[in-house]
Amino acid sequence: MKFGRRKRDEVEVAEAVVNDAEVADTSPEVDIATDADADLDEVDAVAPTDKSAPFDRAENGPHDETEANLVRPYVDLGGVKVLPREGLHLRLEVEEGSQRVVAVGLDYDDSTLQVQPFAAPRSTGLWHEIRGQIAEQIERQGGVVTEVDGPFGPELHAQVPVATDGNVTDGARPARFIGVDGPRWFLRGVIAGKAAEDPDGAGEIEELFRSVVVVRGTTPMPPRDLIPLHMPKSTQSAI
């Protein structure tokens, strides 16, 4: 399997073949990570005490690796595992300087879902706090944000400004920010395309988010640190 060295590597999930095509950004740059040297007790202290997740998360996802169906084939990306399906394209978003994989993009049914897994405290959640920070950042960029109650709990519907190469705003694009607190992890999703423009017809992309498996691992990590991601090893990877 050959991998390009571009900022965006595109993978055909159904066949696990990497394309060299450059892929444009599909979600706004909104950073939720904290300083790696932040005091962990202080980070935990400001986090809300309750988690945000669907009542049936453990049964219907997004799943922890201990809850996933062991007999199903998954694409192993490190911090997350993705179930292949017909018509699904996977993009790995790579940091240019470090070549670190920082996000997974899933293109499906005329929509795009970007997912990122983060470490979280065992007994408290991150989404209630992070949601406000994302909204504030988008509004500073000149965007518009509305909070609604969605299938995963509270989510943000945003009109995100689109900047050209000259940093001139060229209209706005719709995006949905969703988040689920799991056991010692937080999974953030950003939906763009058809499923962001018509949330009532977004069942396919929402089910795709449900099917993601988060692999937290046992290594101690500060809350909000990105759980490490990597290039896929195989489409037949056991959980």
Side-chain angles (χ1 to χ4, degrees), residues 76-79 92 101 104 228-233:
D76 181 1
L77 302 168
L92 300 177
V101 179
V104 175
L229 300 164
H230 58 59
M231 297 289 185
K233 296 179 178 178

Side-chain angles (χ1 to χ4, degrees), residues 5-157:
R5 301 292 293 177
R6 297 174 184 268
K7 183 180 180 181
R8 296 290 186 265
D9 291 324
E10 182 173 355
V11 181
E12 173 68 50
V13 174
E15 301 178 0
V17 176
V18 176
N19 253 328
D20 288 330
E22 187 78 10
V23 181
D25 291 334
T26 55
S27 61
E29 297 292 338
V30 180
D31 186 14
I32 73 167
T34 56
D35 190 329
D37 297 326
D39 183 87
L40 300 189
D41 292 334
E42 180 179 344
V43 173
D44 283 349
V46 300
T49 58
D50 56 335
K51 295 188 177 187
S52 178
F55 72 93
D56 60 347
R57 185 209 61 77
E59 294 77 25
N60 296 317
H63 289 114
D64 184 74
E65 62 176 325
T66 62
E67 303 160 342
N69 186 338
L70 300 179
V71 302
R72 306 181 77 181
Y74 285 87
V75 180
D76 181 1
L77 302 168
V80 296
K81 296 190 177 187
V82 176
L83 194 65
R85 62 187 67 195
E86 186 68 27
L88 177 65
H89 289 74
L90 183 152
R91 291 175 297 100
L92 300 177
E93 303 187 16
V94 180
E95 201 171 55
E96 284 187 288
S98 66
Q99 294 299 300
R100 181 179 67 136
V101 179
V102 294
V104 175
L106 303 169
D107 296 337
Y108 186 68
D109 191 31
D110 296 324
S111 303
T112 295
L113 170 65
Q114 182 205 66
V115 294
Q116 291 178 296
F118 296 91
R122 184 180 302 277
S123 58
T124 60
L126 296 178
W127 182 226
H128 290 309
E129 179 186 5
I130 288 169
R131 204 166 59 248
Q133 296 170 353
I134 292 174
E136 182 180 348
Q137 186 168 345
I138 293 173
E139 288 170 347
R140 283 203 308 265
Q141 296 170 356
V144 178
V145 183
T146 303
E147 182 171 315
V148 302
D149 189 22
F152 303 100
E155 63 179 68
L156 300 177
H157 290 193

